[in-house]
Each structure stands twice: as C-alpha cells, then as structure tokens.
C-alpha cells in the first residue's frame, strides 16, 4: 500500500521532488516533566534525499535520540511538520504510524533489542508477522535478510549464542526485512569494540552504496561519522553544523588494517595498546 | 497478525516459565475440577433419588411411629402406639390407600453353621414386596398363611446370603436367629446402596408376626409402608390418615401426634434439598477458586507485562499496533486459563469417577458440565487478562525500549 495513493483527511500530501525522502519543517519537541518543560528539539528543519548516509553527532542530551524517534514515527513532534515521502506523518493516527514503522522504517538500537530465547531467524521475522505475510514468505524474506548481513549460517542461534557484533547484524537484518525506505540507527556501535564497529559500518556502507538504502545514524564518535556522507551536528536541540564528509572512510579498506579478535588473543595484548597502534586516534574516541 | 501466530507466541511465553504457569493455573484447575465434580456428583445423586422414587413408587405413603413431644423423650422409634389395627383401619377408611404393609425391624445375630452376621431384620407381610416392587432372584417370598401362623421362614438380602452361604444355595437351608431356627425361602434381587449410603441388601425379611413375638418381643409396629392409588392421592391421603390416627389414638392437637405421615415425594424433596445444599457448597468452593485463580492469572500477567516491557517496545517499533499487543497478552491469559480448565475438567472427571466408584454410585459424565466449564475458563482468562493486556498496549514504545 503506498502512502501517496491514500490521502488522509488533514494530512498534507505534496507532490514534490521524487528524490526527497524526509523533510522536517521547524520541528519542536517539548517534554513535560511535572512543572518543568524540557525543550529537546528547538526548531529543526532538515531535508534528506534518497540514498543519503547521514551521521548525526552531538553531545549527550542534545536531542539526537529525540530526532531519531520522530524520524522513526515512534514519537510525534510537539510543533512543526514531518514529511516522509511527501506525507505529513505528524498528523497520522497511532495505527497508521505503526503501519509506517512496519513498512517504511527500519530501526537499529544501541542495545540490539533482540528478543531473548528466540532464534535469529524468528527475530528477523518479527516485522513480517505484523506485515501479515504468509509463513512461507516470512521465512524466505527473513533468511534473505540474514544472508545480506552474512549470518545465514546462524539463523537458528539464540541471541545469547551470538557475539555483540553478530547480534547487531541480526538487528540490522530485522530492520531490513520489510524493505524499508530508510534505516535509522541510534548509536548502533555504542556497545561494540572498534573492529566490530567498523564491520557494522561496512554493512551499512554496503547497503547504502550497493542497494541505495538511505541511512541515518547517531554517533558521538568522529571515527564512525567519517564513514557517512553527511554530518549533522546537534547542540541544545538545534542543528549547528550540516556538512558533507570530505575524505570519507571506506570500511572495507579499513578492516584489513585492524587486528581480528583471534589475533588479539594470540598476542595477548590489552585493547588500549592496540587502539594506539591502529588507525584510530584515541583522542577522538571521546 | 494472524491468530495461529498469536497462539504460538502465547504457548512459547508460557512454556518459558513452566512452573510459574502451572502454579498460576492451579486455582483454575481446582475451580473447574470442583464445577465438574459438583455437576457429576449432583447428577449421580439425582439419579439415585429418581431411582429410589421409582423403586418405592411415587404413590408411596409412610406412616411412622414417633413423637416430637419434647417432654416425653420416647425417641423416634420408641413409641408403642402404632399397631396393625391402625393399618387395617386406614385400609378400611381411607379409600385413597390401595395397599399397605406393616414393618417392624430390629437387629439380631444370624447364624448358619460356623458363619454369623448381624443384619437388619424386618418383619412384614407379602404386600411389602409388591409395594416396594422388590422381587426375588431365587426361591419365593412367604405367604399370608405363614404370616398368620407366625411361621419361621425368611427371605435374605443378597449381602446376607453371600456372607452366610458364600457360593452355596441358601434356599431350603435352615439358619438360626438367636436360638430359633428359620427356613430360607428366597433371596431378594440386589438393590445396592441407597442415596444415604446404606447397603439395602444387608437385611433379612420375615413375617411381622414372627419378628414381633419371637425376636423383638413387642406388640406394636414401627411403620406402615402404604401405597395410594396415584401420586395426587398420596398427597391427599396424608390429612385423612392423620385425622384417623388422631381419633384412634385420642390425640387432640397435632403437636401431640405419636406418628409421622409422609409421602415419597416429601422424601424425594428432602433428598433434593440435601443435594442442593451440597451443590451450593461445592459451587461456592468452585467460584472462590475460580476468582482466586483469575486473580492469580491477572497477577502473573502483570508481572509478565513488566518483565517483557522491552519486548513490547521492540514489537511496537517494528510495527505492532496497540491492538496487536493487547491481543497477544489476552490470548496468553486465555491460553493459561483454558489449559487450567482442560486439566481441571480431566481431574474433575477422574475425581467424580473415583467418588462414584467409592460410593457405588453411577458415574455420569455431563457434556453440559464440560461445556460450561470450558466457557467459564475462557471467560476467566478474558476477564482477568483484559487489564494486563490493556496495560501492555498502553506502554509508550520509546519508554518501553529504554526500560531496564
Ligand atoms: N521522555 C522524556 N521525558 C523528559 N525529558 C526527556 C525525555 N526524553 C528525552 N528527554 C530530554 O530531552 C533532551 C534530549 O534527549 P535525547 O534526545 O535523548 O538526547 P541525546 O540522544 O542526544 O543524548 C535531554 O535533555 C533529555 O533529558
Ligand atoms: Mg541518545
């Protein structure tokens, strides 16, 4: 079902540039904590085109997650408009938002958020259940998604039997399974070591370059942002900087220069020493 | 999301905490088990009462000796005023009564060779067997002549026959009651236990004249087993008999009556009343159990919702609507109560079968009871699952995802 075809009463649908995927117009988000009002977003305007790879940076509390939640239709702006593929989704009902989350958005979280004691395959199948697909279709789609992240052979493993990096790849497969328009990742490498982080960035770069998937990811690490095409810097609920990454890193090229876990075990060195030797500048980790 | 999926998720969630699910179901199991047992036992009792009415005849009227005068503590059977003359007067003057048999009873030691037993001994006339529709399986009954001559003859209940004679044929054999020899002329058909649980076959029946003079040493009788021409006639005969006996016994007010008159329907009513009280008791145990079981389910479902807050967040993030989440938890609650219900039905059936076996009652499995139990179990799941399911659906996905 395409959103363009079905116009909701009160929802503005504008014919626009087909390449434009997301448009935010002066978006505000205010949280009410009893008497106190927390202004998490203070007028964010933003356009993201199809095929972009955007890194959102900023200090803790600057509003990055709030932005992602609004982009992911988990939350609605207090003020302003949010057009997703030309439809103003800030006006849609909860049921309609659930439908959009299911069909158009893939979410990846810092804590992976896989269902415990549920196989990788069934975790990946989860969004297809709510899409109302047949069991056979669900199964084949989930397997295909696992293949795309290189984990087809782990389909029947439980999350507890997988490494952090593998769990995050399962989570990416889950985000991809319904072929969304956009992949939103809120600090996807926050819980991973540096090599695994680059592996995740490799997958995201592959999906963006080869499959044209639009990616928006939150990170507070400059090294991670270097893999994106465009960076948005947040401070106090506003976009302070918005620029294209000049000398973009390619994860596939960086990976061979990084020690693997086996090598780490072999040399029995502390991770800090290895960080110092690798291409990562420790001063930038923070 | 389709139903089979919802059901699968529910089973998984319950299987994950087997002990917890089992303990939660216990209340429902007990409640439903009690419902099934109540209905089955109730039906068994009703069947027995029905059978009792049939065997004694709906037209039966009992005239028993007894007093309810507080001062004269003669006891129920201690009254000596009821006689065979009273019975003959009733037969003569109350045309609604078709036939009647006097009954005297006592207990005495009965000996055959080296076997002995102490059955209930009843003295009566041949009408007794006709009114009670109680035939013999071997031999015959005693005659009017034998009653008149106070002959030493008797008919045995099957229990007595078995205990004294084993596999031997008792017909024509001589037994002794005390020092007096009696010839066995017949063995009664088996009747089994009465609704009150006593063995009706544990009795020896002889002419009332013989029992009065040679065993009990009395001149009065204990009760009259009469039969009216119809069920309505039985009811109508009661005041007539009362009036007649008061006149004969020179009693002025009903409080001084030295007899009780009741009909078979009165007795049936009493039994039904007893059964109703039993049902009420079991019924309240069942409802309390079911409510407690329901609260248990609600409690565990609330715990489950809290434990799985993150899961709920994830499901919402990937496209579950509030209705999907609500349905998931509701189905889980109903699955639990239904599983408890099915186990409860099973144990209720086994339990009532065991009780019936123990009391020698017929086992009656009621499809209605099973149906009602199933519906009740499902309703409990829905009723007590609604609130937890609603709570789960109300969760904010962002908060839920952040929940530790
Ligand atoms: N549910 C909430 N209720 C109240 N305040 C919130 C809520 N979520 C976020 N905030 C506040 O909004 C601001 C932005 O938060 P967030 O978007 O999570 O920042 P970031 O992800 O950049 O660390 C912070 O000051 C935070 O405390
Ligand atoms: Mg954040």
């Amino acid at each position: 079902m395409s959103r363009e075809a079905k116009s909701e009463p009160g929802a503005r649908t504008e014919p626009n540039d087909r390449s434009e995927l997301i448009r935010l117009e002066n978006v505000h988000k205010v949280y009410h904590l009893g008497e106190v009002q927390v202004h998490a977003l203070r007028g964010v305007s933003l356009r993201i085109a199809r095929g972009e790879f955007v890194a959102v940076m900023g200090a803790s509390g600057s509003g990055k997650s709030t932005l992602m939640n609004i982009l992911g239709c988990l939350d609605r702006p207090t003020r302003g408009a949010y057009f997703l593929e030309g439809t103003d989704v800030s006006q849609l009902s909860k049921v309609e938002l659930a439908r959009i989350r299911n069909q158009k958005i893939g979410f990846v979280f810092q804590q992976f958020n896989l269902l415990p004691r549920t196989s990788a395959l069934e975790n990946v199948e989860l969004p297809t259940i709510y899409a109302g697909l047949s069991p056979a279709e669900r199964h084949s789609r989930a397997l295909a998604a696992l293949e795309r992240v290189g984990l087809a052979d782990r389909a029947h493993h439980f999350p507890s039997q997988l490494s952090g990096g593998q769990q995050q790849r399962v989570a990416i497969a889950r985000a991809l399974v319904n072929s969304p328009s956009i992949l939103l990742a809120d600090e996807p490498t926050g819980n991973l070591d540096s090599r695994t982080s680059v592996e995740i960035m490799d997958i995201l770069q592959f999906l963006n370059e080869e499959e044209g998937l639009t990616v928006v990811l939150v990170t507070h690490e400059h090294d991670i942002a270097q893999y994106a095409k465009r960076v948005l810097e947040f401070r106090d609920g506003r976009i302070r900087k918005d620029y294209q990454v000049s000398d973009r890193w390619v994860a596939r090229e960086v990976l061979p220069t990084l020690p693997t876990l086996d090598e780490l075990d072999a040399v029995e060195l502390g991770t800090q020493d290895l960080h110092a030797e690798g291409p990562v500048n420790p001063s930038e980790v923070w | 999301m389709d139903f089979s999926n919802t059901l699968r998720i529910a089973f998984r969630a319950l299987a994950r905490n087997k002990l917890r699910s089992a303990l939660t179901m216990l209340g429902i199991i007990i409640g439903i088990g009690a419902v099934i047992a109540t209905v089955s036992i109730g039906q068994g009792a009703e069947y027995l009462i029905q059978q009792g009415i049939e065997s004694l005849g709906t037209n039966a009227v009992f005239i028993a000796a007894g007093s309810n005068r507080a001062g004269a503590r003669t006891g129920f059977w201690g009254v000596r005023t009821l006689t065979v003359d009273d019975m003959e007067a009733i037969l003569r003057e109350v045309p609604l009564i078709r036939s009647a048999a006097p009954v005297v009873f006592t207990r005495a030691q009965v000996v055959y060779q080296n076997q002995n037993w102490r059955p209930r001994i009843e003295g009566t006339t041949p009408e007794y067997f006709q009114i009670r529709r109680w035939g013999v399986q071997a031999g015959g009954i005693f005659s009017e002549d034998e009653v008149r001559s106070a002959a030493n003859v008797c008919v045995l209940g099957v229990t007595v026959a078995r205990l004294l004679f084993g596999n031997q044929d008792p017909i024509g054999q001589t037994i002794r009651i005390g020092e007096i020899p009696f010839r066995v002329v017949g063995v009664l058909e088996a009747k089994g236990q009465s609704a009150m649980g006593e063995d009706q076959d544990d009795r020896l029946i002889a002419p009332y004249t013989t029992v009065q003079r040679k065993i009990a040493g009395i001149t009065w009788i204990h009760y009259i087993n009469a039969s009216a021409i119809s069920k309505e006639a039985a009811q109508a005969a009661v005041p007539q008999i009362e009036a007649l006996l008061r006149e004969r016994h020179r009693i002025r007010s009903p409080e001084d009556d030295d007899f009780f008159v009741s009909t078979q329907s009165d007795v049936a009513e009493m039994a039904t009343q007893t059964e109703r009280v039993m049902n009420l008791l079991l019924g309240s145990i069942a409802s309390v159990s079911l409510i407690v079981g329901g609260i248990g389910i609600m409690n565990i479902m609330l715990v489950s919702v809290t434990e799985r807050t993150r899961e709920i967040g994830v499901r919402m993030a990937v496209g579950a609507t509030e209705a999907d989440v609500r349905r998931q938890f509701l189905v889980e609650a109903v699955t639990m109560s239904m599983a408890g219900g099915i186990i409860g039905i099973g144990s209720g059936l086994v339990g009532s079968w065991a009780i019936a076996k123990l009391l020698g009652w017929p086992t009656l499995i009621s499809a209605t009871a099973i149906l009602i139990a199933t519906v009740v179990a499902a309703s409990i799941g829905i009723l007590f699952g609604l609130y937890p399911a609603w709570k789960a659906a109300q969760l904010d996905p962002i908060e839920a995802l952040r929940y530790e």
Side-chain angles (χ1 to χ4, degrees), chain A residues 94 101-102 113 122 138, chain B residues 5 12 310 316 318 322:
Chain A
K94 280 185 177 179
R101 288 199 295 273
N102 185 244
N113 278 331
E122 285 176 302
R138 289 205 302 261
Chain B
N5 252 304
R12 275 267 201 91
R310 240 166 202 276
M316 287 176 156
V318 302
E322 286 181 11

Side-chain angles (χ1 to χ4, degrees), chain B residues 187-402:
Chain B
V187 176
L188 288 165
E189 283 168 349
K191 266 213 164 165
Q193 282 189 343
S194 74
M196 305 300 166
E198 68 175 348
D199 180 5
Q200 300 181 85
D201 300 317
D202 184 15
R203 72 177 79 197
L204 178 153
I205 302 174
Y208 80 92
T209 44
T210 318
V211 175
Q212 269 184 334
R213 291 171 214 167
K214 299 178 182 173
I215 301 172
I218 55 174
T219 53
W220 62 92
I221 59 174
H222 292 110
Y223 67 94
I224 299 164
N225 201 163
S227 179
I229 54 177
S230 71
K231 191 179 172 188
E232 293 70 35
Q235 294 294 345
V238 172
Q240 297 182 23
I241 294 168
E242 283 172 347
L244 177 67
L245 288 182
R246 271 180 211 128
E247 190 192 307
R248 287 178 58 83
H249 295 185
R250 300 192 165 72
I251 291 166
R252 269 182 222 99
S253 87
E255 287 103 73
D256 296 335
D257 278 357
D258 56 1
F259 57 87
F260 292 113
V261 184
S262 61
T263 63
Q264 176 56 30
S265 354
D266 295 340
V267 176
E269 192 127 308
M270 254 169 56
T272 311
Q273 214 81 69
T274 316
E275 188 211 328
R276 240 176 245 150
V277 171
M278 270 270 287
N279 278 350
L280 209 69
L281 208 76
L282 277 168
S284 26
I285 293 172
S287 5
V288 168
S289 255
L290 286 173
I291 290 169
V292 170
I295 292 169
I297 286 182
M298 180 140 104
N299 180 39
I300 286 302
M301 290 310 298
L302 287 172
V303 170
S304 177
V305 168
T306 308
E307 279 177 355
R308 286 151 68 195
T309 299
R310 240 166 202 276
E311 176 190 325
I312 295 164
V314 170
R315 287 182 186 277
M316 287 176 156
V318 302
T321 61
E322 286 181 11
D324 287 327
V325 173
R326 200 161 43 228
R327 185 164 53 235
Q328 182 187 330
F329 281 89
L330 204 55
V331 166
E332 215 169 294
V334 173
T335 304
M336 195 144 51
S337 68
M338 286 293 279
I342 289 167
I343 298 171
I345 289 171
S347 36
L349 289 179
V350 169
S352 44
W353 176 82
I355 289 171
K357 200 84 186 161
L358 212 69
L359 298 180
W361 286 10
T363 325
L364 294 172
I365 291 170
S366 155
T368 327
I370 293 172
L371 195 77
I372 289 172
T374 310
V375 171
V376 166
S379 318
I380 295 262
I382 292 169
L383 195 71
F384 289 92
L386 267 178
Y387 176 65
W390 176 82
K391 255 196 108 171
Q394 284 318 105
L395 285 175
D396 173 41
I398 299 166
E399 307 260 312
L401 282 165
R402 218 186 278 144

Side-chain angles (χ1 to χ4, degrees), chain A residues 31 33 38 40 59-67, chain B residues 399 402:
Chain A
Y31 291 109
L33 278 176
V38 182
S60 176
S62 58
K64 307 182 298 289
S65 293
T66 305
L67 174 77
Chain B
E399 307 260 312
R402 218 186 278 144

